[in-house]
Amino acid sequence: MTTIDRTKPVFVSGANGYVASWLVKKLLEEGLTVHAAVRNPENDKKVGHLKEIAKNTKGELKLFKADLLTPDSYAEAMKDCELVYHTASPFTTNVKDPQKELIEPAVKGTENVLTTASKTTAVKRVVDTSSCAAIYTDAIDTVNAPNGILTEDVWNKTASLEYQPYSYSKTLAEKKAWEIANAQNQWDLVTINMSLVMGPALNPNQTTSESMNILKQLGDGTMKSGVPKMGMGVVDVRDVADAHYRAGFTPEAKGRYITSANNTDLLEMAQVLLPKYGEQFPLPKKALPKWLLMIVGPMANKSFTRKFIKNNVNIPWKADNSKIKKELGIQFRPLKETMQDSFQVLIDNQIIQPK
């Protein structure tokens, strides 16, 4: 059991990220002092929204310049912090050199932050932002899992540098986190293994993530002829921030937590938008047949290989989220609320336009 002193500052790496921004907001609303580590504290396009949040809350925001790949660059920001949130990590699947663009930042970044935690005597707990990608690669892996459902005991064994390198990077990064945690006894480690995160971005014009790409493509007509019915998990960014908060401040929190609200697929994600937005936007209304995807998919998108299509399209995705509900008391938002709130933010910021 680890009790965190709420008068001490809390460290957050990658503090201006999609998930981290909501976490920082929650911490500030709780009246905490946040040591927010970012690449460039002077860049108001990237951190202005955090400063605005801080103005309207009882907490205190302190920005620190730090780089994921530079050892010891987090030492100053972590000073006096009992609780460390490591959220900084690349989330992109469009890469030329996966080793350099995904594996190294994810693994070395984790190593740098957690090694600094071990050198910082105040640190008692590290909450690491991991992913369901460290548990599975393709929807077929959930079918093949014990009892046909993903649990915290399952590890990703099917990703590689050549196939689904993003999932491979998340797996290696989390394994590195546990390796470092198990080699010391000063702090304990809790991981948040989230599925695809959707929900409103606090800084939408500066947020680059696969989630935003999917939303844009649903709304801009890219997918109007139909979507692949790909099984996946979805969780609201606000619930993910709450999960991080509770993982930090619940003394009994331990191990991995699957943080996923909905066992769903791309077609259902589009369909819940139709009643409200279907007349204004060219949203997809049907699933593309798997045989057609097998022919045109690899030509349209190089990561959309036949193997990927075979392992994900028309295959259900299932994960057991009972541990986080029971141990951290999380109540997840419904898919409709998450998708509509996400979509509305893109409209409000003119990232997508009505037809």
Side-chain angles (χ1 to χ4, degrees):
M1 291 220 333
T2 301
T3 306
I4 299 298
D5 180 349
R6 300 176 70 92
T7 65
K8 297 282 175 67
V10 175
F11 169 92
V12 182
S13 72
N16 57 330
Y18 179 36
V19 169
S21 293
W22 278 101
L23 171 60
V24 170
K25 183 174 188 282
K26 172 75 176 166
L27 294 166
L28 291 170
E29 284 169 353
E30 293 289 335
L32 294 149
T33 298
V34 179
H35 283 193
V38 294
R39 267 189 208 159
N40 183 4
E42 308 301 316
N43 185 346
D44 263 6
K45 278 189 176 175
K46 298 278 189 181
V47 299
H49 66 293
L50 296 181
K51 293 178 185 174
E52 281 304 309
I53 292 163
K55 276 184 205 167
N56 301 312
T57 53
K58 53 188 193 226
E60 188 183 356
L61 177 72
K62 293 183 179 176
L63 292 164
F64 292 83
K65 184 179 172 68
D67 178 70
L68 200 56
L69 296 182
T70 307
D72 296 325
S73 92
Y74 291 104
E76 189 194 352
M78 212 179 283
K79 192 170 179 276
D80 300 328
C81 297
E82 291 188 355
L83 177 58
V84 165
Y85 287 105
H86 174 41
T87 76
S89 190
F91 179 29
T92 176
T93 52
N94 185 19
V95 293
K96 290 189 173 115
D97 183 346
Q99 180 66 34
K100 198 172 172 190
E101 293 173 68
L102 290 174
I103 311 293
E104 286 174 21
V107 177
K108 283 186 179 165
T110 298
E111 196 168 3
N112 287 339
V113 173
L114 271 57
T115 303
T116 303
S118 294
K119 290 178 184 173
T120 308
T121 51
V123 176
K124 290 183 178 177
R125 171 167 289 173
V126 175
V127 178
D128 179 50
T129 307
S130 186
S131 169
C132 282
I135 295 174
Y136 87 108
T137 304
D138 296 312
I140 195 71
D141 296 341
T142 76
V143 176
N144 295 335
N147 303 315
I149 193 161
L150 299 174
T151 66
E152 284 82 1
D153 296 328
V154 179
W155 278 88
N156 186 333
K157 292 189 171 74
T158 51
S160 67
L161 196 56
E162 292 71 39
Y163 182 69
Q164 299 273 57
Y166 172 74
S167 299
Y168 189 52
S169 76
K170 298 308 286 185
T171 309
L172 294 181
E174 195 192 329
K175 283 190 167 169
K176 177 56 75 177
W178 285 110
E179 181 192 313
I180 296 168
N182 293 334
Q184 55 78 58
N185 52 22
Q186 174 195 319
W187 47 267
D188 63 2
L189 177 67
V190 180
T191 67
I192 297 296
N193 295 75
M194 53 203 193
S195 57
L196 179 69
V197 181
M198 302 298 275
L202 284 172
N203 193 15
N205 291 302
Q206 294 294 321
T207 300
T208 51
S209 77
E210 284 304 305
S211 318
M212 294 289 269
N213 290 342
I214 290 169
L215 279 170
K216 278 188 221 165
Q217 289 177 359
L218 288 175
D220 69 9
T222 306
M223 299 182 179
K224 68 180 179 198
S225 56
V227 284
K229 193 177 174 185
M230 278 167 50
M232 62 180 73
V234 169
V235 63
D236 194 291
V237 68
R238 295 161 290 190
D239 295 338
V240 174
D242 190 32
H244 279 78
Y245 175 77
R246 291 177 187 225
F249 288 98
T250 304
E252 303 80 9
K254 62 183 187 299
R256 307 171 93 195
Y257 287 98
I258 285 177
T259 309
S260 184
N262 305 283
N263 299 328
T264 184
D265 58 63
L266 207 46
L267 180 63
E268 187 186 14
M269 288 160 68
Q271 284 175 331
V272 295
L273 293 170
L274 280 169
K276 189 171 178 183
Y277 301 106
E279 286 184 16
Q280 289 175 282
F281 291 90
L283 289 159
K285 296 183 174 68
K286 64 177 195 291
L288 292 172
K290 195 164 181 171
W291 64 265
L292 180 64
L293 288 163
M294 283 288 207
I295 298 166
V296 300
M299 291 186 284
N301 183 334
K302 69 176 187 331
S303 60
F304 220 63
T305 60
R306 289 199 171 94
K307 180 180 179 181
F308 178 84
I309 294 161
K310 181 169 156 278
N311 289 348
N312 289 282
V313 176
N314 299 351
I315 293 171
W317 189 94
K318 271 192 195 167
D320 179 356
N321 62 7
S322 59
K323 184 187 178 206
I324 196 164
K325 285 179 173 175
K326 187 172 148 207
E327 293 184 13
L328 301 186
I330 291 284
Q331 291 180 304
F332 290 108
R333 285 168 170 79
L335 183 66
K336 183 179 174 183
E337 183 186 337
T338 298
M339 292 301 296
Q340 288 190 353
D341 288 359
S342 313
F343 205 70
Q344 191 60 50
V345 165
L346 295 196
I347 297 165
D348 294 346
N349 286 274
Q350 300 181 325
I351 294 167
I352 51 171
Q353 313 275 352
K355 60 188 179 190

